[in-house]
């Protein structure tokens, strides 16, 4: 009925997953080029007619004593309702992995456990087929690792914020977001899509974000690699501003305001107060921008986002901002323009990335400005391969993971 295939042709694999409901960037064959510090292969299951029914990009990590562990990010891609297929694929996946001296296989399929708007979390219902899927995976020998809440508890975040395309997207945004976008436009923030030649500009603002938030993201070589691998499907957008040009505009506005005050006739107190308020605001802005222009006399990149498109999904992977320009509100205008661009190109939704499951973190607060749906995934599974050493390997895995988390927090 089925036969296990290793390796699956990369082109065949990509064609299969791109048409599948569980299509995900991390299962594209090109993702193996990004994760070049892991070995990899693609395995699958076909029916008697040669049709691919299940496929998985498998990343392979070499361990001491010639052992390995394997990871299938956001996969495998298959019909998890088909008990016979799930059972066959998992059994033969184990047999194949055993030949590779694998201890266990970790996987986190992109199955939505439930979806909701932030304000509707308490009323959100688990999808009715989740019990069936969990039962099929359990029968096939996979061990569910539970419903984690926080990002650090799993390899991929179990909660993600997705903004879906709709008519009049900008109008659907919260009122305060639209106001912040207007603030960015008043300060002459411009958003442009750029190519690989601007990677350094993007890497610079990412580095500033790393320093400010005490986190470690990626370097310019990594960003360059992503753009080389994914080509036109890699979207790099930058927010720029010319402070010097804006300062000259403010000088002109102040000159005109001073002229109106001088020409003002007696008996117009309301108009005088309004003009004086404008003068005071202009003086504050001029003082602020005169300080900024000493540091940034030329047109300057103040924020950026790097995203990758896979079929109808835009994965917004990395972002950075120069905090010196936080009053310019560039990220609100930048994110909105990126989403508008992606939706116009046929994307159905834009994935803004992971958040904490309690919805109390800073990431959630920022991403809530775009009225996203929260996609809560089913979570991680382990498929034990070496049953004798599985539990010991799990302890070692958790110790190593906790050590890495601690190192990142201390960095």
């Amino acid at each position: 009925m089925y036969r296990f295939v290793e390796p699956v042709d990369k082109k065949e694999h990509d064609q299969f997953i791109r048409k599948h409901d569980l299509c995900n960037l991390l299962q594209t064959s090109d993702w193996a080029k990004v994760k070049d510090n892991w070995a990899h292969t693609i395995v699958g299951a076909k029916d008697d007619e040669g049709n691919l029914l299940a496929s998985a990009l498998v990343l392979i990590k070499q361990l001491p004593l010639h052992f390995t562990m394997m990871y299938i990010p956001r996969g495998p891609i298959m019909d998890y309702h088909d008990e016979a297929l799930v059972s066959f694929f998992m059994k033969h996946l184990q047999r194949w992995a055993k030949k590779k001296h694998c201890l266990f296989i970790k996987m986190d399929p992109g199955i939505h456990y439930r979806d909701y708007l932030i304000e509707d979390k308490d009323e959100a219902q688990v999808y009715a087929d989740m019990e069936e899927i969990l039962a099929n995976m359990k029968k096939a020998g996979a061990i569910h690792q539970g419903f984690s809440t926080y990002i650090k508890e799993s390899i991929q975040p179990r909660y993600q914020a997705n903004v879906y395309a709709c008519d009049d997207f900008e109008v659907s945004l919260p009122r305060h977001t639209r106001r912040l976008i207007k603030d960015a436009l008043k300060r002459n923030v411009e958003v442009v899509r750029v190519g690989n030649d601007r990677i350094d500009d993007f890497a610079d603002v990412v580095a500033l974000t790393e320093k400010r938030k005490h986190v470690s993201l990626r370097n310019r070589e990594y960003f360059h690699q992503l753009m080389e691998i994914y080509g036109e499907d890699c979207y790099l957008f930058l927010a720029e501003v010319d402070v010097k040009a804006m300062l000259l505009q403010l000088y002109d506005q102040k000159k005109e305001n001073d002229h109106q005050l001088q020409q003002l006739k007696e008996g117009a107190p309301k108009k005088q107060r309004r003009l004086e308020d404008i003068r005071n605001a202009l003086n504050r802005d001029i003082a602020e921008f005169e300080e900024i222009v000493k540091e940034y006399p030329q047109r300057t990149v103040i924020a950026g986002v790097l995203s990758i498109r896979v079929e109808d999904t835009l994965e917004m992977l990395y972002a950075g901002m120069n905090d010196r320009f936080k009053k310019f509100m560039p990220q609100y205008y930048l994110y909105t323009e990126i989403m508008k661009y992606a939706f116009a190109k046929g994307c159905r939704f834009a994935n803004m990335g992971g958040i904490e499951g309690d919805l109390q973190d800073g990431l959630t607060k920022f991403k809530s400005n775009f009225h996203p749906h929260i996609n809560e995934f089913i979570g991680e599974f382990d498929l034990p391969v070496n049953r004798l050493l599985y539990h010991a390997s799990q302890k070692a895995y958790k110790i190593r993971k906790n050590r890495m988390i601690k190192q990142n927090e201390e960095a």
Side-chain angles (χ1 to χ4, degrees):
M1 184 177 180
Y2 305 119
R3 61 186 177 89
F4 188 78
V5 181
E6 193 280 322
V8 174
D9 178 75
K10 291 181 180 180
K11 185 177 180 180
E12 185 179 13
H13 167 79
D14 285 337
Q15 288 176 342
F16 171 72
I17 70 164
R18 285 176 179 273
K19 294 178 181 178
H20 203 282
D21 290 341
L22 298 179
C23 175
N24 192 279
L25 169 68
L26 305 190
Q27 272 296 298
T28 60
S29 64
D30 280 339
W31 192 249
K33 300 176 185 176
V34 179
K35 306 300 290 184
D36 55 7
N37 57 330
W38 294 63
H40 72 277
T41 191
I42 301 175
V43 300
K46 291 185 176 183
D47 63 17
D48 294 336
E49 297 179 355
N51 298 307
L52 192 60
L53 302 179
S55 198
L57 170 67
V58 184
L59 302 178
I60 306 168
K61 176 67 74 174
Q62 194 67 44
L63 301 175
L65 303 176
H66 303 291
F67 288 115
T68 64
M69 71 157 284
M70 298 181 179
Y71 174 45
I72 304 176
R74 290 294 188 238
I77 306 295
M78 62 179 172
D79 180 1
Y80 285 83
H81 300 92
D82 188 334
E83 181 182 345
L85 175 62
V86 173
S87 178
F88 173 88
F89 186 67
M90 292 297 168
K91 181 173 70 175
H92 286 78
L93 185 62
Q94 280 178 313
R95 290 179 179 176
W96 166 78
K98 194 169 186 177
K99 298 176 183 177
K100 305 293 184 181
H101 307 290
C102 180
L103 297 174
F104 65 95
I105 305 170
K106 188 168 284 290
M107 57 192 76
D108 49 13
I111 299 168
H112 290 204
Y113 186 69
R114 59 177 185 158
D115 300 312
Y116 46 84
L117 294 170
I118 293 175
E119 60 269 25
D120 298 332
K121 180 183 179 181
D122 293 339
E123 288 75 39
Q125 298 296 312
V126 174
Y127 288 121
D129 58 348
M130 289 301 102
E131 287 190 14
E132 177 190 6
I133 292 173
L134 287 166
N136 287 345
M137 289 292 281
K138 184 178 179 179
K139 290 175 185 176
I143 301 171
H144 188 233
Q145 298 301 298
F147 300 103
S148 60
T149 300
Y150 301 104
I151 291 175
K152 67 181 182 181
E153 295 174 335
S154 54
I155 300 179
Q156 300 298 330
R158 201 170 76 83
Y159 295 80
Q160 292 192 338
N162 267 300
V163 178
Y164 287 79
C166 64
D167 294 333
D168 297 323
F169 165 64
E170 278 189 279
V171 177
S172 72
L173 294 172
R175 183 180 300 175
H176 67 272
T177 304
R178 299 198 301 271
R179 176 178 56 79
L180 293 172
I181 292 170
K182 289 181 179 178
D183 287 346
L185 291 171
K186 286 178 182 177
R187 292 174 180 262
N188 291 352
V189 175
E190 296 181 32
V191 171
V192 291
R193 184 183 178 187
V194 299
N196 219 336
D197 59 319
R198 301 293 301 278
I199 281 292
D200 284 354
D201 292 326
F202 175 64
D204 288 343
V205 291
V206 170
L208 290 171
T209 299
E210 289 179 319
K211 183 177 180 180
R212 183 176 75 251
K213 294 188 175 183
H214 306 290
V215 296
S216 178
L217 298 174
R218 299 288 184 174
N219 58 28
R220 63 196 70 222
E221 288 75 21
Y222 182 83
F223 300 138
H224 176 82
Q225 182 185 33
L226 285 177
M227 294 200 74
E228 286 292 313
I229 291 171
Y230 285 96
E232 281 301 308
D233 287 329
C234 194
Y235 295 178
L236 177 57
F237 278 81
L238 301 176
E240 302 177 329
V241 70
D242 189 333
V243 182
K244 187 174 182 180
M246 186 162 186
L247 184 58
L248 293 175
Q249 290 181 22
L250 291 173
Y251 287 149
D252 289 340
Q253 291 174 27
K254 186 176 185 302
K255 184 177 180 180
E256 174 60 26
N257 180 263
D258 290 342
H259 176 71
Q260 290 185 37
L261 279 169
Q262 290 173 2
Q263 298 297 316
L264 190 64
K265 296 179 181 179
E266 294 184 6
K270 289 185 178 180
K271 187 173 183 180
Q272 181 174 345
R273 284 196 298 270
R274 181 176 62 83
L275 290 172
E276 287 174 347
D277 288 342
I278 293 174
R279 180 186 61 190
N280 292 335
L282 286 169
N283 284 336
R284 287 194 299 270
D285 287 342
I286 287 171
E288 178 187 359
F289 293 164
E290 283 178 339
E291 286 300 312
I292 295 176
V293 82
K294 293 176 184 177
E295 297 178 68
Y296 302 95
Q298 307 297 327
R299 185 179 180 88
T300 303
V301 173
I302 60 175
V305 176
L306 188 149
S307 311
I308 296 177
R309 177 183 177 178
V310 180
E311 291 302 304
D312 62 356
T313 306
L314 186 73
E315 299 283 353
M316 305 176 80
L317 297 179
Y318 298 101
M321 188 186 78
N322 186 339
D323 204 47
R324 185 72 173 85
F325 295 89
K326 63 182 179 181
K327 291 183 179 180
F328 286 62
M329 303 299 171
Q331 65 273 47
Y332 299 96
Y333 182 41
L334 175 62
Y335 274 75
T336 301
E337 288 298 295
I338 294 169
M339 292 176 193
K340 285 168 55 181
Y341 182 90
F343 296 156
K345 291 289 185 178
C347 286
R348 188 168 57 90
F349 57 85
N351 178 13
M352 298 184 73
I355 56 175
E356 306 288 5
D358 60 6
L359 307 185
Q360 300 299 312
D361 58 304
L363 284 172
T364 301
K365 184 177 180 181
F366 169 69
K367 293 172 184 179
S368 67
N369 288 293
F370 302 90
H371 203 228
H373 283 74
I374 306 304
N375 299 147
E376 183 179 338
F377 290 91
I378 198 168
E380 292 181 354
F381 293 87
D382 280 356
L383 186 65
V385 177
N386 187 322
R387 295 192 177 276
L388 185 63
L389 296 178
Y390 171 66
H391 291 293
S393 66
Q394 280 297 288
K395 289 181 180 179
Y397 172 79
K398 290 176 182 178
I399 290 171
R400 182 176 182 274
K401 181 179 176 182
N402 291 334
R403 187 184 298 126
M404 291 180 66
I405 291 172
K406 187 176 181 180
Q407 288 174 349
N408 288 335
E409 289 175 345
E410 293 175 349

